[in-house]
Amino acid sequence: MSAVISKRSTEAVLISEVGPRDGLQSVAATMPTAHKRAWIDALVAAGLREIEVASFVPARLLPQMADAAEVVRHAVTHAGVCIMALVPNRHGAEAALRAGAHKLTLPVSASEAHSQANVRKTREQMVDEVRAVARLRDEIAPQVPLEVGLSTAFGCTLQGPVAEDDVIWLAEACVQAGAHEVGLSDTTGMANPAQVKRLFTRLQAAVGSHAGAAHLHNTRGLGLANCLAAYEAGVRTFDASLGGLGGCPYAPGASGNVVTEDLVFMFEAMGIDTGIDLPRLFAARQALREGLPGEPLYGMTPEAGLPKGWPSSALPFNKALA
């Protein structure tokens, strides 16, 4: 678990902004590097304390991430912010560590069908990849946490339902291979609140303090409900994307990722501290628009505005829920 999280109170939550990686690699356009830097700066100014800024994959496969090392080197100049990078393998991990990333995240599919289609490896082979990355990390930067995100944990468009026993088995295997944290991802937007609460409860029982973030999508309108269910199950770290950027390019009209602005509003209105300034978070949307002109942005809260008297108006809500 990163130091950023350990300093927060038990009632606080950590919002991990994934737009600069997950969002940008999901759209056709490529945001210029200077605009990426400006967007990250705006997110930091709003109070984000964990940001996933890049994916270290070959530029021929993902040209949107060709400047990954440069973006990481800029992002790490912000004190007190955990800068994350996605790495698919040992080679990507080495590049990310050399660039100075504070935390690595490695995607592993809970669905065998998705694993084969996505990376042409079995789930067992991906556990071996986790082990290889962990060994490399120990050699180069042992202080850097390694997080595994179990994609398709709540269902897969290729094979359909994913057995919960498979998810738990894979989570335990990843921890044994050297992962500090294992989170669950609703890659296809198929999860429901009962399922989310049940599976995160099982995850925590199986791996204890190694249980990680909830990465949930709003593809079918259940993103915030699923986040609340995860919170009630004990989850305190949530991935989200400013403006709901990216996440599900194959669901017409659906933004995919949970919208950071809406998630922050929900928690703050409940009296749960996020450490994020909502007006400044809204302002960060402008930096995003300038870097990706014409790209649709989502979010109910930015459109509706904050309630009259905010933030004091959040207090009666919190008392009513207490």
Side-chain angles (χ1 to χ4, degrees), residues 198-315:
R198 182 176 63 248
L199 194 51
F200 270 107
T201 299
R202 288 194 62 183
L203 177 70
Q204 291 165 351
V207 302
S209 62
H210 296 287
H215 181 103
L216 302 168
H217 285 193
N218 196 45
T219 310
R220 292 171 173 82
L222 294 179
L224 291 183
N226 287 335
C227 285
L228 185 56
Y231 179 84
E232 291 174 344
V235 177
R236 293 297 180 266
T237 303
F238 298 85
D239 292 353
S241 178
L242 193 79
L245 188 69
C248 193
Y250 302 109
S255 57
N257 281 315
V258 168
V259 177
T260 305
E261 302 92 304
D262 292 341
L263 185 63
V264 170
F265 174 77
M266 181 185 79
F267 281 130
E268 291 287 345
M270 293 172 64
I272 299 169
D273 179 35
T274 66
I276 296 172
D277 183 296
L278 271 169
R280 289 186 177 185
L281 190 63
F282 296 167
R285 290 168 68 96
Q286 183 58 33
L288 174 53
R289 286 193 181 94
E290 291 174 358
L292 287 178
E295 187 68 33
L297 298 184
Y298 301 87
M300 303 297 289
T301 307
E303 294 297 327
L306 295 174
K308 185 176 181 180
W310 182 273
S312 60
S313 60
L315 298 178

